[in-house]
Amino acid sequence: MSAAKTGALIPIRLASERLPGKALMDICGCPVLHHLLDRVVACRYVEPRDAVVCTTEEASDDALVAAVEAYGASVFRGHADDIIRRFHDAMEAFDFAAVVQVDGDDPLTETEYMDRTMEQLLANPGLGIVSSDGLPFGINCKSFSRAAMGRVMAHYQAGANDTGFISFFTKTGLVEQAVIEPISPDHVHDEARLTLDYEVDLEFFRRIFEALYVPGEIFSLAQVVAFLRDNPQTLSINADLDEEYWQRWNEKAQLEYHDENGRRRTI
């Protein structure tokens, strides 16, 4: 698989229930989307045109398409709520053999772990997905193969899966997987919430970027962790949101698939 075409898939839609249009909101003079793309295209396995924002065909996402194209990345428009179908069709359209997958809500996803997950995936043909784990919430990423995507497509129950979709790869036994743990204690912070869902999350990210961002450069996960350890007042901005977030996640993540024997299962 070493010569195979690789890229990145980033699911984003602007019609968010909690913070509509968040991908285009400004942090330090750039939209959130562009900060995330800076980190994705820094991955050794992703050329700018192969960083694909997977969005919907709804008119509400037209402004997102313009922002992606202005950056120099690519867009795939597909099913509104079925991200598994959207990803499958995007991989087919771009002829990707393997992809890094990063969530659009996570503008500080760490490039080093994009490299590491893809590197291990390509080096081990038996694997279908490699995920990072143990990093702060909103920093982890994963890489998976087109073959793994095909297995999930063959077994999943089509429907709304925009919440929890990666569980089809990691919690069904359909795909061989590996996990990469943090390579340094400087990458670990058990209390940090580094995902963008609410207005206070936006304020949280703005504080981090105002302290660390230099145009044209990418600050590291170690710098983020050190800043949060030194600035507990910033850490407290969105610290009380986890319970609400996970309650909503559990309510929405109702996923079903058929196992190898054709039996219907719930994740």
Side-chain angles (χ1 to χ4, degrees), residues 164-230:
F165 60 87
I166 205 65
S167 296
F168 286 117
F169 291 83
T170 60
K171 296 183 178 180
T172 60
L174 295 172
V175 177
E176 290 294 323
Q177 61 180 307
V179 174
I180 292 178
E181 301 290 342
I183 62 170
S184 168
D186 294 337
H187 293 173
V188 177
H189 197 306
D190 293 336
E191 299 174 35
R193 173 188 161 78
L194 289 155
T195 194
L196 179 57
D197 287 300
Y198 302 93
E199 189 72 37
V200 291
D201 292 326
L202 182 63
E203 174 60 24
F204 173 73
F205 278 113
R206 283 175 172 161
R207 296 276 187 93
I208 295 173
F209 273 84
E210 286 165 4
L212 301 177
Y213 177 64
V214 176
E217 299 180 10
I218 298 176
F219 53 88
S220 69
L221 174 56
Q223 288 176 277
V224 175
V225 170
F227 173 77
L228 293 176
R229 288 173 178 167
D230 291 341

Side-chain angles (χ1 to χ4, degrees), residues 37-50:
L37 285 171
D38 284 345
R39 292 170 180 270
V40 172
V41 301
C43 174
R44 299 198 310 267
Y45 299 95
V46 182
E47 296 295 327
R49 284 293 176 186
D50 292 327

